[in-house]
Amino acid sequence: MLPQKCGMGVYMSDFDEKDKSQLEDARNQPEKEEKKEKKESDYEDVCFICRRPESKAGKMFKLPNNISVCNDCMHKTMDTVSQFDYQGMLTNPAFIDDLNKNMNGKGYPNLRFVNIADLQGEGGIPNKQRIKKKKPKSGQAQALDIKNIPAPHKIKAQLDEYVIGQEYAKKVISVAVYNHYKRVATGTMDNIEIEKSNMLMIGPTGSGKTYLVKTLARLLDVPLAIADATSLTEAGYIGDDIESVVSKLLTAAGNDVEKAERGIVFIDEIDKIAKKKNTTSRDVSGESVQQGMLRLLEGADVEVPVGANSKNAMVPLATINTRNILFICGGAFPDLEEIIKQRLKKQTSIGFNAELKDKFDKEKNIVSQVTVEDLKKFGMIPEFIGRLPIIYTLAALDKEMMVKILGEPKNAILKQYQKLLELDEVKLEFDDGALEAIAEKAMAKDTGARALRAIIEEFMLDIMYEIPKDDNIGRVIITREYIEGTGGPVIDIRSVSGENPDNLKVIEQK
């Protein structure tokens, strides 16, 4: 039996289905709006004109397309608009003729209209430039649980899996991070405020300064930002502002101000902001940067741009207190060795127990004898050094450490190539002579651990190119002769039958 038609020409069954779907949408609409409000409530409203957040600008005016405008900008806009005689413009025949001539039925020339609602974030402002709302504190809840803080020996044990050598540096950084966690978790203990201990890390290029901190960033849950001091200049000049190092920390914390205020900042290449010698011009990228960083290191409320490096851009500003932020500075200080040698040579004397002047010329880790006076002579101002109470050095890599770096860490470069060849079902091996030859070549380059990858990339090129050509290759052994260019690698083939026409060693397939 066919369903009866209504007067409107629609079957009753069709009407019921449409009615059901509309009722279902109406029921789900409040739930969808609630989820949308919950999602958007994580961020503060930002003024579309001046980019100030609601916590600074006050209550916002809500306009269509999710645009928010603060009270100040709204009044300035209304005052500006009221100065024009729009009615007179529309009644002016010359203006209307020009308008119609330019439009020609195709719209305004050289103008394209953008739907602001299509842009990411509220009102066209991306979420990376919006500040998260501060959550209301419930009681005296602590930021961290002291029982869950990893002990220094556990942090060091994790670093040992990735970083070879540098035992003293790993011990210092593990204790500093552990104390930083405790300082943030407790705040005050028996009315004694715990001061933070900023650090200065000195070591030759390729000794593992940046790698140590990057490894720490992966292992820890605390927000950590790595910045570079080479691009920093005094405010108002071309380059990044000093506050940009804290802005990177805010980005690492997901624009959460409270989370960023207990983070760690590593500033690399800190030796590049030393005072310029024999200069009469303004030192905007040297001493001026050191002066500007003093309040950051000690602790102050600073306004940082959200999602940008410069305050000149039209971006929101967030206020961050740096009192609980741990700063780790690192640099190679290339000419520091000569300064230390000059100081030590002055201590030599004449007599039976006197030390020879050339005694320190062959000493490799002379940087370990650095003092505050040497850093002052290098170009670091006393106020800056005074805010970095912990100064420690990293030892230059020797041949034995280079060999260990090649194969022992979890993500060692040799393990990476072995994994790549495993995908081609080929086993890659290195004999002891090959590892020593690679280490000797790296030592000659004098660029630290970075030289290892350059050398391996060079001699692995032909192997990575040739192996995919032949499916019979089962194993490749890298020898010292291949590294030194006097021979080739040992190649073993695999065969089902066990026959070997090329007199090579056969790997029987299981």
Side-chain angles (χ1 to χ4, degrees):
M1 183 177 178
L2 293 172
Q4 295 180 354
K5 277 190 177 181
C6 297
M8 297 295 292
V10 180
Y11 288 111
M12 286 294 295
S13 59
D14 292 340
F15 178 77
D16 289 342
E17 287 297 324
K18 289 178 184 177
D19 198 26
K20 272 183 191 177
S21 63
Q22 286 177 1
L23 283 171
E24 204 63 40
D25 289 341
R27 285 175 189 163
N28 294 335
Q29 192 65 26
E31 196 174 326
K32 288 179 182 176
E33 288 179 1
E34 188 181 344
K35 283 183 181 177
K36 189 179 177 184
E37 279 181 21
K38 191 177 180 182
K39 187 178 179 183
E40 291 180 355
S41 64
D42 291 342
Y43 295 95
E44 288 189 33
D45 291 332
V46 180
C47 176
F48 189 73
I49 299 174
C50 70
R51 306 290 189 179
R52 290 186 300 167
E54 192 173 15
S55 57
K56 281 188 164 293
K59 197 172 175 73
M60 299 278 181
F61 288 95
K62 300 288 185 181
L63 301 180
N65 288 331
N66 292 324
I67 294 177
S68 302
V69 180
C70 70
N71 191 35
D72 295 339
C73 292
M74 181 62 80
H75 280 86
K76 286 177 184 176
T77 305
M78 297 306 294
D79 291 342
T80 306
V81 168
S82 62
Q83 294 175 7
F84 292 96
D85 182 16
Y86 291 101
Q87 190 65 32
M89 288 172 64
L90 293 174
T91 55
N92 186 354
F95 174 76
I96 298 297
D97 290 342
D98 288 340
L99 192 64
N100 292 329
K101 193 185 296 181
N102 287 329
M103 288 178 68
N104 197 20
K106 297 179 181 178
Y108 290 99
N110 301 324
L111 286 178
R112 293 181 181 179
F113 292 94
V114 179
N115 185 8
I116 298 173
D118 293 338
L119 299 175
Q120 184 186 4
E122 185 178 352
I125 301 173
N127 286 340
K128 67 176 183 179
Q129 292 184 354
R130 298 173 67 195
I131 304 164
K132 284 192 174 181
K133 287 182 179 178
K134 288 189 177 180
K135 296 176 182 177
K137 293 182 180 179
S138 55
Q140 297 292 325
Q142 291 183 342
L144 292 168
D145 186 6
I146 303 175
K147 294 179 182 178
N148 296 330
I149 300 173
H153 68 279
K154 292 182 180 178
I155 298 174
K156 185 180 176 298
Q158 289 179 310
L159 290 174
D160 287 338
E161 294 179 359
Y162 294 92
V163 183
I164 298 297
Q166 313 298 359
E167 297 299 319
Y168 179 70
K170 287 188 285 190
K171 190 182 291 185
V172 172
I173 202 168
S174 300
V175 171
V177 171
Y178 179 64
N179 288 339
H180 178 68
Y181 267 107
K182 288 197 293 185
R183 185 174 181 270
V184 172
T186 57
T188 57
M189 191 164 50
D190 298 330
N191 297 324
I192 298 174
E193 187 174 351
I194 307 168
E195 291 293 333
K196 64 175 175 177
S197 298
N198 298 320
M199 294 181 285
L200 177 61
M201 190 189 306
I202 302 171
T205 180
S207 58
K209 299 182 298 295
T210 309
Y211 184 68
L212 191 64
V213 180
K214 282 183 177 178
T215 306
L216 194 70
R218 290 201 307 268
L219 301 177
L220 298 178
D221 195 21
V222 68
L224 192 146
I226 298 175
D228 202 317
T230 50
S231 61
L232 298 180
T233 58
E234 190 180 359
Y237 289 83
I238 294 173
D240 292 342
D241 291 339
I242 296 160
E243 289 84 359
S244 66
V245 298
V246 185
S247 180
K248 288 180 181 178
L249 181 65
L250 182 63
T251 304
N255 293 351
D256 190 338
V257 175
E258 288 186 358
K259 196 175 178 183
E261 285 179 347
R262 58 173 186 263
I264 300 173
V265 174
F266 175 66
I267 306 174
D268 201 4
E269 307 291 348
I270 201 70
D271 53 313
K272 303 303 185 291
I273 62 169
K275 284 194 295 185
K276 305 293 183 293
K277 291 163 186 171
N278 303 323
T279 179
T280 54
S281 60
R282 188 173 180 84
D283 193 3
V284 296
S285 61
E287 186 177 359
S288 299
V289 177
Q290 292 186 55
Q291 296 282 1
M293 288 185 68
L294 296 180
R295 63 195 188 100
L296 287 185
L297 296 173
E298 192 157 6
D301 288 325
V302 292
E303 284 192 342
V304 298
V306 181
N309 291 334
S310 176
K311 290 182 182 177
N312 299 328
M314 291 294 290
V315 294
L317 295 177
T319 303
I320 294 181
N321 192 312
T322 63
R323 192 178 67 86
N324 286 333
I325 297 175
L326 181 67
F327 287 89
I328 305 172
C329 301
F333 293 85
D335 299 327
L336 189 61
E337 292 183 0
E338 295 301 322
I339 296 172
I340 298 170
K341 284 178 185 177
Q342 288 176 10
R343 174 175 57 82
L344 293 174
K345 284 177 182 179
K346 287 179 183 177
Q347 299 173 2
T348 59
S349 59
I350 300 172
F352 290 107
N353 295 325
E355 295 179 348
L356 297 175
K357 285 194 173 184
D358 61 351
K359 175 188 175 183
F360 306 105
D361 292 340
K362 296 180 181 179
E363 193 170 341
K364 289 184 178 179
N365 290 328
I366 196 169
V367 183
S368 60
Q369 302 186 43
V370 66
T371 62
V372 173
E373 295 300 323
D374 298 327
L375 293 172
K376 287 180 186 175
K377 202 168 181 181
F378 184 85
M380 311 306 289
I381 61 175
E383 301 93 325
F384 184 81
I385 301 170
R387 285 164 173 80
L388 299 167
I390 300 176
I391 300 173
Y392 60 97
T393 60
L394 276 76
L397 302 179
D398 56 17
K399 181 180 170 183
E400 188 181 346
M401 290 173 70
M402 289 277 196
V403 173
K404 288 182 178 179
I405 288 169
L406 282 170
E408 287 190 10
K410 266 192 174 181
N411 57 344
I413 184 170
L414 298 188
K415 292 180 181 178
Q416 295 175 31
Y417 274 101
Q418 286 171 343
K419 189 67 179 175
L420 285 172
L421 286 177
E422 268 183 25
L423 300 175
D424 292 328
E425 297 181 354
V426 178
K427 191 175 181 182
L428 179 66
E429 293 180 2
F430 293 79
D431 63 17
D432 294 338
L435 297 180
E436 288 180 6
I438 297 169
E440 287 165 7
K441 283 196 169 191
M443 293 290 291
K445 287 182 179 287
D446 200 25
T447 55
R450 292 185 181 93
L452 294 171
R453 186 168 195 97
I455 294 166
I456 292 174
E457 291 278 359
E458 182 184 347
F459 73 75
M460 285 296 293
L461 175 65
D462 291 335
I463 292 174
M464 301 298 289
Y465 182 79
E466 296 292 339
I467 280 179
K469 290 182 181 178
D470 191 353
D471 292 336
N472 293 323
I473 295 175
R475 178 167 57 195
V476 178
I477 302 174
I478 306 297
T479 61
R480 187 184 187 97
E481 290 75 24
Y482 179 59
I483 302 297
E484 293 176 346
T486 59
V490 178
I491 298 175
D492 298 338
I493 65 169
R494 53 183 167 213
S495 173
V496 179
S497 62
E499 297 178 2
N500 183 9
D502 298 323
N503 295 321
L504 293 174
K505 188 177 178 182
V506 177
I507 303 173
E508 293 293 342
Q509 287 188 348
K510 294 180 179 179

